[in-house]
Amino acid sequence: MSLDPNLPVIAVVPAAGVGKRMGEALPKQYLPLKGRPILSHTLSRLLQHPAITRVVVALGPEDGYFDDLPESRHPKLTRVIGGSERADSVLRALETIEEEGAWALVHDAARPCLSDEDIALLLHQCGDQGALLAAPVRDTMKRADAHGRVDHTVERAALWHALTPQLFPAQALRDALRQAKASGAEITDESSAMERLGWKPILVPGRVDNIKVTHPDDLRLAALFLA
């Protein structure tokens, strides 16, 4: 099943985090990558895609860097103030979406290497219960005990790494995040919020270069992919 091309697709980018694991003074989404901030690369990929109607970015309440990005003045871009957690930021962005029948394409701010190919594949393979880019686990997986020793080997045949973008009907995702928040559930990605309500989104194999910049080494690897 392919997503109806007549329905609006709104990209949502939660960018209110500070990226403590990078060990930098700047929030990681503003660290330089090939002469531009990471977030600039990410937003430009989404803004230029013809299937994406507009982009909503959720920023930290004291963000002092976004206005310096050329994308900040793009006519397809809307900004909102995000929350303390990723799910809060996504929810606040979703609350600005009023387009009838809209789908929300949620993408990490720190994944600057997203390709048009992956976006097209996600839109093409999306079912009525949504879809997300993912990568099959290739390495042997171990579960540790409380002392950091191997407890047992985990069967990897059906394991996937969840990536972004993740694509769901905007209203359904908004309702799912509201319910999860009200119940105090831990939501690590959009799919997990939908899974709580019985949804079974499609796993769409994505490219290996769609990496998330989390540690300093990732920044160097992203530069190589962009080159």
Side-chain angles (χ1 to χ4, degrees):
M1 175 181 173
S2 181
L3 192 66
D4 185 343
N6 295 314
L7 294 176
V9 176
I10 315 297
V12 171
V13 182
V18 295
K20 293 178 180 177
R21 280 177 287 183
M22 289 293 291
E24 300 282 351
L26 274 177
K28 70 176 178 181
Q29 61 268 30
Y30 293 109
L31 291 175
L33 173 62
K34 294 188 68 63
R36 294 163 56 195
I38 293 172
L39 183 56
S40 177
H41 288 278
T42 302
L43 292 177
S44 64
R45 296 288 177 111
L46 297 169
L47 288 164
Q48 59 82 33
H49 198 281
I52 294 176
T53 309
R54 64 186 180 95
V55 176
V56 184
V57 58
L59 304 171
E62 298 180 358
D63 187 301
Y65 308 99
F66 185 74
D67 285 340
D68 293 332
L69 304 186
E71 293 79 16
S72 68
R73 298 175 292 279
H74 197 286
K76 284 174 61 175
L77 187 137
T78 304
R79 69 179 82 181
V80 298
I81 300 299
S84 58
E85 302 293 336
R86 173 200 172 89
D88 297 322
S89 293
V90 173
L91 180 55
R92 292 185 183 182
L94 291 170
E95 288 170 344
T96 72
I97 296 177
E98 299 177 348
E99 292 90 335
E100 184 175 354
W103 282 65
L105 183 141
V106 186
H107 186 58
D108 293 327
R111 288 189 189 272
C113 303
L114 177 63
S115 67
D116 287 351
E117 174 188 344
D118 268 359
I119 296 174
L121 193 63
L122 187 65
L123 295 172
H124 179 68
Q125 295 192 17
C126 182
D128 59 0
Q129 296 201 0
L132 62 149
L133 288 183
V137 170
R138 295 183 173 88
D139 300 315
T140 299
M141 304 296 290
K142 305 290 185 183
R143 185 173 296 280
D145 62 18
H147 306 289
R149 299 184 179 90
V150 173
D151 182 78
H152 65 275
T153 299
V154 179
E155 173 57 48
R156 69 182 178 189
L159 291 180
W160 293 66
H161 294 286
L163 311 175
T164 69
Q166 301 191 4
L167 181 65
F168 295 98
Q171 182 175 344
L173 179 57
R174 184 184 63 209
D175 293 344
L177 288 172
R178 284 175 176 169
Q179 290 185 38
K181 184 176 182 179
S183 64
E186 181 180 0
I187 298 300
T188 55
D189 68 349
E190 291 65 51
S191 181
S192 63
M194 305 305 290
E195 292 159 30
R196 289 184 71 253
L197 303 183
W199 287 51
K200 294 185 179 296
I202 294 171
L203 293 160
V204 178
R207 289 169 48 134
V208 297
D209 57 357
N210 181 21
I211 65 167
K212 185 176 182 180
V213 177
T214 305
H215 300 283
D217 286 347
D218 300 330
L219 199 58
R220 292 187 282 272
L221 188 57
L224 289 174
F225 285 141
L226 289 175

